Amino acid sequence: MTIVVGFVPTKEGRAALARAVEEAKARQSRLVVINSHRGSLDDEQARAAEQELQRVTDEMSASGAQVEVRQLVRGNEPAEDLIAVANETSADLIVIGLRRRTPVGKLILGSNAQRILLDAPCAVLAVKG
């Protein structure tokens, strides 16, 4: 079994990652952590992202979870990358973080979250940040 989680270094991203680790341990599944950037990163952004992902890798390794961390910068929307990796790995679950929204905003999810929920090849767990 494989679980794919979308990670960004925010409260919502960390909540999704924590829940994905719990799910991976409970299901004895492999965890694939995806950090997707639509555009290119300058040197400073690339270093910061690399350091954050190394921290995540170290934490996950210490937790005993079987984890793979991927940073994708290939011009795709994050939803496209998550769905592609879920298809590639035959994932059983995608975990995403959602931020709190206003009452009107609750009617319309973010475009990435909505696309993942509608187009995912597997179950999706949306975690509030």
Side-chain angles (χ1 to χ4, degrees):
M1 293 182 70
T2 301
I3 296 173
V4 174
V5 58
F7 174 75
V8 290
T10 63
K11 181 175 74 168
E12 296 81 15
R14 287 183 179 88
L17 182 60
R19 183 56 191 264
V21 169
E22 289 174 14
E23 290 292 327
K25 286 181 180 179
R27 299 172 186 225
Q28 297 179 339
S29 297
R30 180 176 86 135
L31 181 61
V32 180
V33 180
I34 302 298
N35 178 250
S36 174
H37 296 275
R38 185 161 189 244
S40 62
L41 302 175
D42 63 32
D43 290 343
E44 186 176 326
Q45 291 172 319
R47 272 193 300 278
E50 189 174 307
Q51 288 174 348
E52 182 69 20
L53 292 178
Q54 185 59 54
R55 186 189 63 73
V56 167
T57 301
D58 294 345
E59 283 180 17
M60 298 300 100
S61 296
S63 76
Q66 182 185 357
V67 66
E68 175 185 348
V69 178
R70 300 184 193 181
Q71 181 174 350
L72 304 177
V73 184
R74 50 188 189 192
N76 294 339
E77 292 290 334
E80 291 176 89
D81 282 335
L82 284 173
I83 291 168
V85 171
N87 280 317
E88 170 198 325
T89 62
S90 300
D92 302 289
L93 180 67
I94 297 174
V95 181
I96 58 173
L98 296 178
R99 66 179 176 266
R100 295 195 180 268
R101 299 196 175 264
T102 65
V104 172
K106 289 178 185 177
L107 294 174
I108 303 170
L109 292 173
S111 59
N112 280 306
Q114 184 176 20
R115 172 116 190 264
I116 292 165
L117 289 168
L118 295 174
D119 295 341
C122 59
V124 178
L125 174 60
V127 179
K128 291 194 298 186

